[in-house]
Structures are given as structure tokens and as C-alpha cells.
Amino acid sequence: MPRAGHAGLLLALAGALVGAGIAVSLLASEKAQPLIIGLLALLAVMGVFALFAGAVGIIEFAGRTTRNDTTKAVVDTASEGVIIVDTDGRVVYANEAYQRLAGTTGTENLLTVERLFTGASDVSEAIYRLAQAARDMRPASEEVRLSPPLGGFDGAAWYRIRVRPLEQPDGVRAAVWTVADVTRDRKRQENVFQELQHAIDYLDQAPAGFLSVDAGGEIIYMNATLAGWLDYDLAQFGPGGLKLRDLVPGEGAALLSGVPGGAGEVRTETHDLDLRRRGGHPLPVRVFHRVAYGYDGTPGASRTLILNRSAGEDVAEGQRAAEVRFARFFNNSPLAIATIDRNGRIARSNGLFAKLFGAAFKGQDMAEARSILSVVSERDRESLTQAVAQAAAGAGDIAPVELSLVMDANRSARFFVTSVENGEDGEAAIVYALDTTDQRALQAQFAQAQKMQAVGELAGGVAHDFNNVLQGIIGYADLLLVNHRPTDPSFDDIMQIKQNANRAASLVRHLLAFSRRQTLRPQVMHFGEVLTDLTMLIKKLVGERISLDVKHGRDLWPVRADLIQFEQVIVNLAVNARDAMPNGGVLSLRTRNVTAAEAADVGEAVMPAADYVAIEVGDTGSGIPKEIIDKIFQPFFTTKEVGKGTGLGLSMVYGFVKQSEGFIFCDSEVGKGTVFRIYLPRHVGEAVVDGQAEAKDKPAVKVAENGAVTGATPAPVQADPPAKPDLTGSETVLLVEDEEAVRAFGARALARHGYRVLEASSGIDALHVVEEHDGPISLIVSDVVMPEMDGPTMLGELRRKGITAKIIFCSGYAEEAFSRNLPEGETFGFLPKPFTLQKMIEEVKKALG
């Protein structure tokens, strides 16, 4: 043990030095000088000796000694054995507890941990791992069972052995070993485990089932009784293996997972329902479900007691069977059902009610019973309150009320309230609720579709009549132009008439597009190629203040659509986006493939699950208000100023998409922008035509067996092409047209080119003309829609009479509108109204060969 310092010795030394100084000062200077030199030499020798003694540890400084003594006292009196061993295996220090464990005193013959703990192989392996950790200068811990224990007693003991590295200030490394006897703790743990095993055994052998479910619906415990009822093997059961929904079919899981409660509350509910056995068969049970809530309102794991209600388990078999049947009807009903008192407080409810309205009770103070009024929105509560009051008064016929739900203003339900006479527990009424959200959405979509269809029919009829009017104007303008040279004073006036008529014809084509009766020239193409070629045009249209962001999906599927009409659709949407961003913004074009699974997730009920190619046109403009977004596709509806829009652009877009068997949807938010999403079906089965290639004109189209039209059809009215040589002829042509002006124009045009023209004002009139005519008829040019007998019916009658003349149909509608009524395999030429004189003569010449 190191010796403690004494203050008296220090004072004596100081006194001696002072006395020696006084004595020397009393002597004469000649005698004092040798003594002073001798004294200084003595002090120098003592100082050098003290330095060497401090370096080798003979002398220790008081502060360090005090700190080391405190630390050593703590370690010496520790209950755990502590031994410090340097890297060479020498014992540097061992406290008294370790010396007692080792059965020796002093450190000369003290055994290290590696030599002290020897015995069974598992002990040797643990000590080896600890020794390896000590050599690697890393901490480690092991628990070993030693029999017999240290000290030679009978039995066995458990020891917890730890090792950790120790780096001293002088750089010397060592390992600190601690050994603790944990036999008592081990025995206590074994006793607790045995008690727990007994409790589990008692619970497993109980005549009732027991279940615990956490807040996430995961089953964390199930006793053997319940496992046997459900045919589950407890040896294979573990956390994460089963969910509540695996055991409770239908909406019953919502009853158990949606128990409402407040902070610090314990809620218990009783339910009669069916559990699902492992084979799928139902097990009728009565459930006592208890959930405790923490002080933060978080629900804990449940304590659920389950009684078997199967046949043979209850003495009152008739009552039990009736209760089981009622529970099944109640919980499996497609209606949400709840019983309420005269104040609207809910007494009990079924699973579907908990599923539909459980979110409305979350966070609600459960000191008061739940109210049926809390599931509906504030503005609709008065209607439900009146219905509940009528039921409480015993009214027999209460009209159902359809109300919005408080969880989501877009969700709704229809409530049926019926009174209960002499109800138990104060029950005054039964409330049946049916979720009508999807039904209302479908009704709205159906009403919108009906309205659009009606508007389309009207637009198509108007367009047909207008086409006949425009056909006369354009035709007679062409006849006047034939007789007037460009130098004539009237030439410019006639050209103005024709140009404005062509503008009107363009508007009519938009109406036909909306009504899905326009003439299309479908071809297989890739959207990516088409949009890439349109980029420069769109940039010019939108201007420099609007940036264009184009992103294409990878490996886009081909689609079959009219190239020219598709380009017009993109241009119309781009122009609308430009007008919505007067101060600049971003116009984005996106393309991507949409698989059938992704289409099902789009959330649009009218679009079936199939493969599509999607095009999205978005802007960052002003957006479209919700009150008018349902009207944007209607003809002539526009929000632009007078003279700046016809209201037919989006109508044409809508009609083209629908006629191409696709779908279009609009998402918009005021102040943030608008996105139009177009889905066109993926085309499979034909080679892809270059998006830039224009379909070549063919003289005729052919009606397939299914009525579909194959082959190309003529393009809409364009500027007159250069005159072709030799457009004259001498054959007999039958012209059938109910509009006198159009018929007169056609007859004059054909006669001017040398043809012999027979005229008829209807299909029946055409049959009479053919019977009265002696010579052959080479060509029939006929309108499609006529009174008494239309063009396709007339053709069938003529074929039965043996007339083999070729035929050209003229119509303001697309050929698909009438081609299905033609005889199978019939070929025909087609002239879309309004057409020019030049186009008519060219088609006639082409048909006659």
C-alpha cells in the first residue's frame, strides 16, 4: 500500500531551512561563504534525487496519488472480479473479488481468466473467443455454465465474463477482464420462464379461444384452443404469419380493427360473427374484444376472448342456431346497419357500417356514445335528424335520404331509417346505409354521355343539311369561275364566295367530327414520330414566351388513326394551352405506353382495361373552373371573347378520339394549369406505316363481311389541284340527288364534260328512270341520305334488276355511317360533301377507268 504524506514533516523541513539561513547570516562573511556553498550543494543533490525518485515511482505527487487511490478503492470494493492483463500475459492488477474467485491472495501466483475457466468444451470455446477478442483489442462478452463452480462447491454456477481493451497514457496496452457470478439472475429468469410456461399451458388448455391483435391487424398471439378450432398448427404459427383479415371474412375485420376509443380508455365490445377456418369453412363465435388506449390515444394490442358457437357447443341449441343465423345475416349484409336510440346514438353496428363510417369516429371523445349524425356532412344533418325523429315517434313510412359523408364531400350514402317498437337498451330505430358514391358517379357519367350523344345527333343532322347548302354554293361558284377569267371584275367576288364557303365547310367538318361521322383515313403510325415532326410548328404557334417540353416514352406501341386529324387535335390543344398562358408558361407533351393493369388503375370507369398509348398535353395556365369543365367538349361552347373562337376545337378533338375508339379526360385546377389525357388503343397485327407517309388515293373502298371499310378514302376538301388532261367522257351517268340545287350543279358539270346525264330526285325515282332508259348506264353518282329510299337500299334494288354500273356515293357523313347497309363485297367510290367541280369530274373519270 502506498504511504500517505504528512504536513508536519513538510513544516519541519521548512523550519530547518529558515534556521540555517538565520545562522549563516550571523556569522562573518569569510566563515559564512563555505557554509552557503555547502548548503546549496546539499539542496541541489536533494532536488536531483527527488527528480529521479519521481521518474521511477519512488515518490508520487499528492494529486495523482489521491485520484489513483479513489479509483483503486472503487475497483477494489467492486462485487465483480476485475483483473488487468498486459499484452505479454502478465497480471498488472486484480481486485479482491477476483482473488476470491481464483482462491488466492496476491498477484504472484494468480491465474488469469483463460487458465481459471477450464472444463467443458462449450466453456473452452467461449473463453477462446474472449481471448481472441482481447488479442484483437476489441470488447466481447460471454456467459458460461461451470460445473463444479469456482471454489469447489457442489452443483453448477453461471458466470458472465467480459473483456475490453485498455490503453494507458504511457501507451502501454492491456486487457480488462471482469467476471460476475449471475447464477441468481439465471435462476430468477428460469423461474419466471417456468411460470410463464405454466400460464401459457393454462391458457392453451382453457375451454375458450384467446387472441391478441395489434393496431396494424397482425395476430401476435393465439392459444391452442383457438388454433385447434381453426385447424392451425401452433408450431408453425409466428409473428407476421397471420392477419386479422385472414381469420375474419367479409367486413367483420372492420368491427374488430375499428374499435373507437380515447386517450387512456379501455373499450370492450361484443360481437357475434364467423371466423374462417384454414380450409375456408366458417366457425360461428361470440367475440369479447377489449382494446386499451395509451395516453397519446394510440391503441394497444387487443385482449380478445372467443366462445365457440358451433352446433353441439351450447345447451340451448335452438336459440344458439337462431343467433348464429342472425349474426351471419347481420354481418354479411351488403347494407351498413346500425341500431340507434331516439337521440341518434349508435348502440351496435355491423362490419360494413364500421368499414364505411369508422373513420368518422376516430379521435372522437368516447365519454359520449357515437352519434349517427357525425357520419354525414354538416349541411345534411338536418335531413337525417328529421328522419331519426320520425322513427323515434313511431312513423311507419320514412322516405330515404341521400346525404354526403363527412369523411369525403365526394362520397355519399342513402340512409333508410325504420322505427323499432319496444326496442332493447333504448333502441328506437334501425338505420340502413347504402354507399351510393359509385352509383352517383355512373349516373353523372351516363347523363353526360346521353347529353353528348344528343348534341352529337343534332350536330350531325345540322352538318348534313349544311353540307348540302354549301355543296350548292361551292358548286355554282366553280361553274361561275369556269366562265370568268382572273381579269374579270367579278372574279375576286366569286373567289370570296368560294373561300367563305370553304371556311363554313371546315366548321361543318368539326361538327361531323364531334358527332363521329367525319371521313377518316386511318393508318398505322407511331406518336413519337408524328409529334417530333410537329414540334417546330407548335413552337411557332405558341411563341417565344412559352417553353415547349416534349418527353416520349420508350418503345411506344403503334396506333391506328387518321394522321391529318391527329395532327389537328394536337395543334388545337396546343393553341388552347397558348391562350391559357398569356404571360408565358410551359407547354408539355408526354407520350407513354399504358398496360391493361395500369389502365385499370387510372380510375376512369368508362375506360375498359386494355393496352393504350397515352398522349398528355399540359399547360401551366389559368386552369378551367369546375363548374364549366363538363361543358368544354360541347359544340360552340367557348370562354374566349367574341370573334376569337368558334367553340368547335375541343368538340373536334372529342369526336376524333371517340371515332378512333379512344378516350379523353381533362384534369384542371384553377391557377395551376390543365392536362388533357388522350388514350388510343394499341394497334396489333399490321406493319407500321411511316408517320410522314400520306395514304395514297384509291378509286374505291370495299365493304368487308363484318361491314368494316377497307382501303383509303378521299381527303377532305382542299384547294383545287392543277387540271388534269382529258377529263371528258361520253358515257351515260345516272345522277341521284334529292337537293335540286346540288343535282342541277352536278348535271351541268357532267354535261359540260361530254357525259350524258340522267337525273333522279330520290331512290324510287332512280328505279323508274332505269326502267324507262333503253341504253346502258355506265356510272351511278348518288347521294346517301334521301327520303323514301336511301342510296345503299337503291343500289341493292338496282343490283337485283341486273344493273351492273359502277357507283360513287356522295355524303356529308363518313362512309362508315352507311357502308354496313351495302351488299356484301360491294365496291364503291366516295365523294365527301362539299366537293369541288374538279374533284367530282376527277372521281367520275377515275371510276370509269
Side-chain angles (χ1 to χ4, degrees):
M1 293 289 292
R3 295 185 298 274
H6 295 281
L9 294 176
L10 181 61
L11 292 175
L13 178 60
L17 292 175
V18 171
I22 294 172
V24 171
S25 64
L26 296 176
L27 298 175
S29 59
E30 294 83 1
K31 296 180 180 180
Q33 186 173 2
L35 294 175
I36 292 173
I37 294 174
L39 183 60
L40 291 175
L42 178 63
L43 292 175
V45 171
M46 292 175 62
V48 172
F49 175 77
L51 290 175
F52 277 103
V56 299
I58 297 175
I59 299 176
E60 294 180 351
F61 295 103
R64 180 179 177 184
T65 302
T66 303
R67 290 193 299 269
N68 288 343
D69 288 346
T70 302
T71 304
K72 186 173 183 300
V74 172
V75 179
D76 282 342
T77 58
S79 60
E80 295 181 345
V82 180
I83 182 172
I84 302 176
V85 183
D86 63 13
T87 54
D88 295 329
R90 293 191 299 269
V91 177
V92 177
Y93 168 81
N95 70 348
E96 294 178 2
Y98 186 84
Q99 294 178 26
R100 286 195 302 271
L101 289 173
T104 183
T105 58
T107 60
E108 289 141 3
N109 298 321
L110 189 64
L111 297 176
T112 62
V113 174
E114 298 172 76
R115 297 174 58 192
L116 182 63
F117 285 88
T118 59
S121 59
D122 55 345
V123 176
S124 299
E125 291 176 1
I127 299 301
Y128 174 78
R129 289 192 295 269
L130 291 171
Q132 186 64 39
R135 285 189 289 272
D136 296 341
M137 298 300 290
R138 55 183 174 83
S141 177
E142 296 279 353
E143 286 192 8
V144 298
R145 182 180 182 276
L146 197 62
S147 179
L150 298 177
F153 301 104
D154 294 334
W158 284 89
Y159 298 93
R160 181 182 295 118
I161 306 173
R162 295 189 178 96
V163 64
R164 60 181 177 86
L166 175 66
E167 292 193 17
Q168 303 183 56
D170 55 5
V172 178
R173 293 186 175 186
V176 180
W177 296 75
T178 60
V179 181
D181 189 340
V182 294
T183 305
R184 182 176 298 178
D185 293 340
R186 276 282 185 163
K187 288 182 178 179
R188 186 182 300 109
Q189 292 175 0
E190 290 178 358
N191 291 336
V192 171
F193 180 75
Q194 289 177 357
E195 292 175 1
L196 181 61
Q197 286 295 107
H198 287 313
I200 293 175
D201 183 64
Y202 297 150
L203 195 58
D204 281 342
Q205 302 304 321
F210 187 81
L211 188 70
S212 183
V213 185
D214 65 11
E218 182 176 325
I219 297 175
I220 56 179
Y221 177 76
M222 176 192 300
N223 72 340
T225 302
L226 181 60
W229 290 347
L230 300 176
D231 196 22
Y232 281 99
D233 186 0
L234 275 183
Q236 300 176 354
F237 176 78
L242 283 176
K243 299 285 187 180
L244 181 62
R245 62 176 179 270
D246 297 328
L247 301 185
V248 186
E251 311 300 343
L255 283 173
L256 303 183
S257 61
V259 177
E265 287 189 327
V266 178
R267 301 286 299 177
T268 302
E269 292 189 351
T270 303
H271 303 287
D272 289 328
L273 45 81
D274 283 341
L275 298 184
R276 182 191 290 120
R277 291 187 173 97
R278 192 160 63 94
H281 299 291
L283 174 70
V285 296
R286 175 165 291 172
V287 177
F288 300 88
H289 188 62
R290 170 171 288 191
V291 179
Y293 285 80
Y295 287 101
D296 59 350
T298 303
S302 73
R303 305 294 186 266
T304 306
L305 181 66
I306 300 175
L307 302 181
N308 194 337
R309 305 280 284 167
S310 300
E313 298 289 336
D314 199 331
V315 177
E317 180 62 27
Q319 179 182 354
R320 182 210 61 80
E323 290 176 349
V324 168
R325 284 195 299 270
F326 170 76
R328 287 176 175 168
F329 290 143
F330 185 65
N331 289 313
N332 296 321
S333 170
L335 295 174
I337 306 174
T339 57
I340 60 175
D341 62 14
R342 61 180 55 252
N343 295 318
R345 289 189 292 268
I346 299 172
R348 59 177 57 87
S349 60
N350 68 347
L352 186 57
F353 189 93
K355 179 181 179 181
L356 291 180
F357 309 120
F361 302 117
K362 288 185 178 180
Q364 184 176 336
D365 186 5
M366 285 292 105
E368 298 181 359
R370 295 169 292 171
S371 172
I372 190 67
L373 300 177
S374 61
V375 305
V376 300
S377 61
E378 188 73 31
R379 67 176 185 272
D380 291 341
R381 289 181 181 177
E382 181 62 30
S383 300
L384 188 57
T385 301
Q386 293 178 1
V388 172
Q390 292 176 14
D397 190 8
I398 304 173
V401 288
E402 189 158 342
L403 311 173
S404 298
L405 304 184
V406 70
M407 300 85 70
D408 185 354
N410 295 323
R411 291 186 58 198
S412 62
R414 181 170 297 167
F415 290 83
F416 303 84
V417 184
T418 60
S419 61
V420 176
E421 186 177 357
N422 299 325
E424 297 181 356
D425 300 327
E427 295 174 351
I430 301 177
V431 177
Y432 304 88
L434 179 64
D435 190 340
T436 59
T437 304
D438 293 338
Q439 179 183 353
R440 290 181 65 182
L442 288 175
Q443 286 177 343
Q445 291 174 354
F446 180 70
Q448 178 68 11
Q450 279 189 318
K451 182 172 67 174
M452 297 295 279
Q453 182 178 359
V455 173
E457 293 290 339
L458 176 62
V462 171
H464 175 265
D465 292 338
F466 263 84
N467 268 333
N468 282 330
V469 175
L470 291 173
Q471 180 62 74
I473 296 173
I474 294 174
Y476 282 106
D478 283 339
L479 289 176
L480 288 173
L481 289 174
V482 171
N483 297 321
H484 290 73
R485 297 181 181 181
T487 57
D488 292 343
S490 302
F491 185 84
D492 291 338
D493 296 337
I494 299 172
M495 284 300 298
Q496 282 293 329
I497 293 173
K498 184 174 180 180
Q499 288 174 4
N500 282 279
N502 284 332
R503 285 185 59 193
S506 177
L507 296 180
V508 171
R509 281 196 298 275
H510 287 177
L511 285 175
L512 288 173
F514 173 76
S515 61
R516 290 171 251 174
R517 296 178 181 178
Q518 65 176 335
T519 299
L520 294 181
R521 304 176 67 186
Q523 63 186 71
V524 182
M525 62 182 179
H526 277 298
F527 281 155
E529 299 173 1
V530 177
L531 291 179
T532 299
D533 295 330
L534 275 178
T535 301
M536 294 304 296
L537 174 61
I538 294 175
K539 285 183 178 179
K540 293 180 180 179
L541 285 173
V542 299
E544 298 180 355
R545 303 182 66 179
I546 297 175
S547 60
L548 181 62
D549 182 17
V550 181
K551 290 184 180 179
H552 295 305
R554 298 183 59 184
D555 301 324
L556 288 178
W557 295 323
V559 297
R560 190 170 188 270
D562 187 297
L563 173 62
I564 298 175
Q565 294 296 325
F566 173 73
E567 291 177 344
Q568 187 64 40
V569 164
I570 301 301
V571 169
N572 278 340
L573 294 177
V575 170
N576 285 346
R578 178 200 64 190
D579 295 340
M581 298 182 288
N583 298 321
V586 178
L587 171 62
S588 60
L589 298 177
R590 302 283 187 270
T591 59
R592 61 187 176 93
N593 292 331
V594 179
T595 63
E598 293 172 338
D601 295 336
V602 169
E604 300 291 351
V606 297
M607 186 171 75
D611 290 342
Y612 298 91
V613 180
I615 311 98
E616 295 182 359
V617 181
D619 63 66
T620 57
S622 56
I624 303 173
K626 291 184 178 180
E627 57 269 17
I628 66 172
I629 198 168
D630 292 335
K631 305 177 183 178
I632 59 175
F633 294 118
Q634 296 179 8
F636 305 112
F637 179 82
T638 180
T639 58
K640 298 179 181 179
E641 298 177 8
V642 177
K644 292 188 177 181
T646 63
L648 292 175
L650 288 179
S651 301
M652 186 275 293
V653 172
Y654 177 85
F656 165 78
V657 173
K658 290 298 182 181
Q659 195 168 353
S660 301
E661 300 180 355
F663 300 89
I664 181 170
F665 306 104
C666 177
D667 297 326
S668 184
E669 186 173 351
V670 175
K672 293 188 177 181
T674 304
V675 177
F676 285 92
R677 294 177 288 121
I678 298 175
Y679 297 88
L680 293 184
R682 175 187 182 182
H683 178 75
V684 180
E686 291 184 15
V688 177
V689 179
D690 183 4
Q692 289 300 305
E694 295 184 4
K696 297 181 179 179
D697 289 338
K698 294 184 180 179
V701 292
K702 186 174 183 178
V703 182
E705 294 182 2
N706 61 357
V709 178
T710 59
T713 59
V717 175
Q718 304 292 334
D720 290 343
K724 294 183 180 179
D726 192 16
L727 295 180
T728 62
S730 59
E731 294 89 344
T732 301
V733 177
L734 173 60
L735 180 60
V736 187
E737 172 62 58
D738 61 321
E739 288 286 339
E740 184 177 354
V742 178
R743 186 174 68 251
F745 151 71
R748 287 181 57 183
L750 291 172
R752 287 177 62 89
H753 286 77
Y755 295 101
R756 183 183 179 188
V757 182
L758 302 177
E759 298 183 37
S761 60
S762 66
I764 295 178
D765 190 20
L767 296 180
H768 295 319
V769 171
V770 170
E771 290 178 356
E772 296 174 357
H773 181 66
D774 293 335
I777 298 176
S778 302
L779 179 67
I780 303 172
V781 179
S782 174
D783 192 11
V784 174
V785 180
M786 296 180 292
E788 298 179 340
M789 181 183 290
D790 61 14
T793 305
M794 177 201 70
L795 179 62
E797 293 295 329
L798 291 175
R799 291 292 187 252
R800 280 190 289 271
K801 292 179 177 294
I803 304 300
T804 59
K806 298 179 181 179
I807 187 165
I808 297 175
F809 281 116
C810 308
S811 178
Y813 298 144
E815 56 266 37
E816 287 85 352
F818 62 87
S819 59
R820 297 181 184 275
N821 298 327
L822 292 174
E824 183 179 330
E826 185 66 55
T827 59
F828 62 94
F830 183 70
L831 267 174
K833 289 182 178 179
F835 49 82
T836 64
L837 183 151
Q838 184 75 17
K839 190 65 178 177
M840 177 184 179
I841 298 302
E842 287 178 354
E843 287 297 323
V844 170
K845 188 69 175 179
K846 190 184 300 182
L848 291 173

